[in-house]
Structure formats: structure tokens, C-alpha cells
Amino acid sequence: MKLAVVGGGSTYTPELIDGFARLRAGLPVEELVLIDPATERLELIGGLARRIFARQGHPATVTTTSDLDAGVAGADAVLIQLRIGGQAARLQDETWPLECGCVGQETTGAGGLAKALRTVPVVLDIAERVRRAAPDAWIIDFTNPVGIVTRALLRAGHKAVGLCNVAIGFQRKFARLLDLSPAEIHLDHVGLNHLTWELGVRRGGPQGEDLLPRLLAAHGDAIAADLHLPRTVLDRLGVVPSYYLRYFYAHDEVVRELAEKPSRAAEVAAMERELLGLYADPALDEKPALLAKRGGAFYSEAAVDLAAALLGDGDGSGSGSGSGSVQVVNTRNDGTLPFLPDDAVIEVPARVDRSGPTTLAVPRLDPLYAGLVSHVTAYEDLALDAALRGGRERVFKALLAHPLVGQFDLAEGLTDRLLAHNKEHLPWA
């Protein structure tokens, strides 16, 4: 089995490598190719990957290349993890929206639109090259904004599934609080990427006992603290929102906080410099503890489970048996949420096998949540149109449609700033 990682020079990559090494029974990789134009970083990551594999006794060959076409040729699956413009672009996404009194964040609001505009054309180009060099390969997209990027891939006819680590993070956290194994926890995780709610926490499977009321009663304070939301919000909703919902439920408070502290991009950039120094140590043969602060918790487990199910070599449990597994993925709606178009990309549990994901039935979304999902889906329609066709007016309309913007003058000011800060990445700007 051959896997290729586009963006293999990311400081995230050792997290992924660690998962491949530890969970090899579920995903028997024979060749791993790390692909990145940043050759110096790529060699550091590649060297560490080889040492991690050697420490774990993994027999796979690890190669590095800046040649995308050669790297993906004959691959069974291609993972895409890109950040167009690097942390410098992220810093801009987190900064200029604040000038207009809007949240500055890389996947939500105006900053998220900027990232989509930079990213979608690049990912589609990569996907077309994958289609030529490895026509049967699955594309696993971990590149934000995952929902919009995955929708672009599926619309273009690619074999693609979007992946996010929010659901697996909740699963692991809830299992620990309930003193259960993660395999015993099934989440009624419903919504869009970075716009989801845990409507139920079930023991044993989709039809199992709902433990969410017990979880909130016993551990509501701890969960609320992790989400940076008041406990009363959880009590009144009776569900657990993704931490990204804080940008909607406490927008003005978040804007004040962001204006008063260093940006997350600056923190991550400093962390990346330190990580690269650690990776250069020839004695390092495991992922360093600092990587846990970089983000992407449990990304490796989610990626291994998804790849194993898509390639038919596991059931997502690392056991190497079975013909599919239930996982939370980003995929076509196709009637799962009846109030959305079929081609909308939603984030819900699905049974995944070699034919791809088949969404499971999910609980009905209350209008309180369905209204916001519909609103953001409409924004994503316009954002994808702007990413594919360009044009100031399309950018403006996408911003005007976003529930965190929604005002004419505000959308005008944000449009001007977005285009000014992204000219080098948008040929039409």
C-alpha cells in the first residue's frame, strides 16, 4: 500500500507519522511519500519519519520529493494538508477582520473566506494531477476550510472525503469523563465543518443509550470551561456545541479578547520554529511533547481509521479486520439533512468502506441549529463560487451572506481588506 502526503513538510506531519507507526495493523503501509516544495523542511520531517518508523519497527519505506506528479503516482490514498501562504497568511486572516470589529480566525468569518479563496484552486489543481497519476486513489482532505474544500473536490468528481479532528476529540474526552473506552462512544455529531453540535453521546452505537444528560449533569462545568462558554449555555441548549460555535454565540466577547492578546498565528509560528529545531536532532525518534500544543489532537488516529476503511484494510479499530467502520466525515448531504441541498457537504457519522462514506440517519436538528446551518451553507455556496470564478462582487456577496458579517458597509470594508492582503495569492484580484 502506498500513501502520499501533500504538504508533508508541515510540522503537523510527525503526528500523522506516529499514527501510521503505532496503528500499522489497521493500515499496512509499505511506502509513504512526503511531498512539499519546501525541501529543507521536508528533509527534516522525512528524517524524523524514518526514525519514528524504525523505533516502532515499521517496515515501510519513507521517501520525500518536491515533484507532486511523481510522488502521487500509483498511490492508494493521498492526504492533503496545505496552508497556502503559510503562517504569514494566517496572521493576516486573524488581523485585518478585527479592524472592522469582526472575529479574526482562519476558518470562520472573513478570514475563513480568504483562506478558501487561496486554497480551493490549488487543491483542485492537485486533485486533477492525482486523477491522472493515480486514478483510483482516494483523496483525504484535512485542509481548511474542510467543508468548502471538500465540496469543491466532490463537485469536480473526485473520490474525496473531508476529515476534521473535532469529533474524535470530543469522543476521546467524553470517553475519559464517562470512564469508557472510545470505541464504546458513538456521537450524534451533526452540522457542517466547524459548525456542529453533539446532540447525543451514545453507549455502544447509534441506537445505544444516550449518556449526554448524565454527562452534562456530572461534568458540565469542565466541558463548558473547555469551550470557554458559560455552563448555563450548555444547560439551556442541552447539547454540546463545537468550540467554533463560540465565534457565533459570543462574537463580540471573542473580538475583544483577540484584540488584546497575541494572535494564534504568531504563537504557532514561534512553536513551529522550536519544533523544526527539535526535528533536526538526529537522536529524536518520537514525536516531541511540544507537538501536542500545535493543535490537531487525535488527527493521526482519525486519518488512519479513515484511510484503513477506504482502502478496505481495517474496520477503523486498528484490528485489521472488518469491511468498514462508522466515522465522522465531511461528505455529500444527499438528503441526510432534508433542509439542505443534496450537494451540500455536511459533517456527520457515516459508514465508510471501499466505496466511500454512506451517511447514517441523524437526529432532527432543532430550528435553533438548522437555521444557522442553512445560513452558513448559503455562505459556503457563495464562497465556493468566489473561489472558483473570482471577482470582487462575488467576494462581497459571500461576506454579506455570512452570519458574522451581514451588513452592507461592513462587507464592503472587509472585501477591500481581504483583496488588499491576498493579491499575491489571487491572480484576478
Side-chain angles (χ1 to χ4, degrees):
M1 179 187 298
K2 176 180 177 179
L3 299 186
V5 180
V6 180
S10 168
T11 54
Y12 259 147
T13 302
E15 171 69 30
L16 189 61
I17 300 300
D18 176 72
F20 290 155
R22 288 185 293 103
L23 305 173
R24 62 181 180 272
L27 190 66
V29 180
E30 298 165 296
E31 181 182 1
L32 177 66
V33 184
L34 305 180
I35 305 165
D36 204 295
T39 54
E40 185 174 342
R41 285 172 59 124
L42 187 60
E43 287 310 310
L44 286 180
I45 306 297
L48 177 56
R50 295 183 190 98
R51 296 192 297 273
I52 291 174
F53 273 17
R55 178 189 176 102
Q56 296 284 345
H58 197 298
T61 300
V62 178
T63 59
T64 60
T65 182
S66 58
D67 185 334
L68 175 68
D69 299 301
V72 302
D76 295 287
V78 177
L79 287 78
I80 302 179
Q81 49 173 38
L82 300 176
R83 184 180 296 282
I84 306 302
Q87 294 300 330
R90 177 179 182 172
L91 178 61
Q92 296 296 331
D93 294 343
E94 294 177 349
T95 302
W96 54 263
L98 295 173
E99 298 171 2
C100 297
C102 291
V103 67
Q105 212 276 333
E106 62 162 344
T107 64
T108 298
L113 176 60
K115 194 172 196 301
L117 297 177
R118 294 192 304 267
T119 304
V120 166
V122 175
V123 171
L124 287 178
D125 177 67
I126 291 169
E128 287 298 331
R129 294 163 72 175
V130 170
R131 179 147 52 190
R132 293 194 296 269
D136 295 325
W138 278 101
I139 294 175
I140 298 174
D141 176 62
F142 194 67
T143 298
N144 281 320
V146 168
I148 295 173
V149 173
T150 303
R151 191 169 186 180
L153 288 165
L154 293 174
R155 181 181 288 187
H158 297 290
K159 291 175 60 177
V161 184
L163 179 65
C164 180
N165 68 322
V166 168
I168 195 171
F170 274 132
Q171 181 202 41
R172 297 299 202 270
K173 180 181 299 181
F174 296 163
R176 176 173 48 80
L177 292 174
L178 293 165
D179 197 24
L180 297 171
S181 71
E184 294 178 271
I185 297 293
H186 172 88
L187 299 178
D188 289 335
H189 176 102
V190 185
L192 309 177
N193 179 241
H194 290 184
L195 196 83
T196 51
W197 297 263
E198 309 307 326
L199 305 182
V201 178
R202 301 188 180 276
R203 186 202 298 265
Q207 306 305 317
E209 176 191 6
D210 185 9
L211 305 177
L212 181 57
R214 182 193 312 176
L215 181 71
L216 289 176
H219 304 288
D221 287 343
I223 295 169
D226 283 346
L227 298 173
H228 299 284
L229 288 171
R231 165 70 185 269
T232 53
V233 172
L234 301 190
D235 291 338
R236 294 177 70 178
L237 295 179
V239 303
V240 178
S242 158
Y243 44 85
Y244 286 93
L245 264 299
R246 186 168 185 257
Y247 297 116
F248 295 83
Y249 292 163
H251 176 273
D252 294 351
E253 179 182 352
V254 172
V255 168
R256 288 192 294 271
E257 291 174 1
L258 293 175
E260 295 172 356
K261 67 178 186 180
S263 72
R264 175 62 177 164
E267 293 175 353
V268 171
M271 203 177 303
E272 286 195 335
R273 289 190 292 271
E274 188 174 350
L275 283 169
L276 290 171
L278 294 173
Y279 296 166
D281 180 358
L284 183 68
D285 58 3
E286 59 184 342
K287 66 176 184 179
L290 178 63
L291 188 56
K293 298 180 181 180
R294 171 67 177 81
F298 307 113
Y299 163 40
S300 59
E301 284 89 341
V304 169
D305 285 352
L306 180 55
L310 290 170
L311 300 178
D313 289 292
D315 64 357
S317 67
S319 66
S321 62
S323 60
S325 62
V326 174
Q327 300 175 37
V328 173
V329 297
N330 285 262
T331 191
R332 275 178 60 98
N333 177 43
D334 284 332
T336 305
L337 300 183
F339 55 89
L340 294 184
D342 283 347
D343 70 342
V345 165
I346 59 175
E347 187 171 289
V348 294
R351 183 164 296 282
V352 184
D353 57 25
R354 292 180 69 89
S355 64
T358 301
T359 58
L360 302 183
V362 297
R364 174 182 173 273
L365 267 184
D366 185 279
L368 179 62
Y369 316 123
L372 185 54
V373 167
S374 296
H375 196 161
V376 174
T377 298
Y379 151 76
E380 290 187 347
D381 288 343
L382 295 167
L384 182 54
D385 186 46
L388 294 173
R389 298 201 288 163
R392 186 188 189 281
E393 191 66 11
R394 293 187 182 95
V395 173
F396 167 77
K397 288 180 178 177
L399 287 167
L400 187 61
H402 200 291
L404 297 183
V405 181
Q407 299 179 61
F408 192 92
D409 289 344
L410 196 54
E412 285 281 19
L414 289 167
T415 300
D416 290 339
R417 285 167 173 80
L418 186 156
L419 297 179
H421 286 287
N422 287 275
K423 283 184 177 179
E424 65 178 298
H425 301 292
L426 306 176
W428 48 266

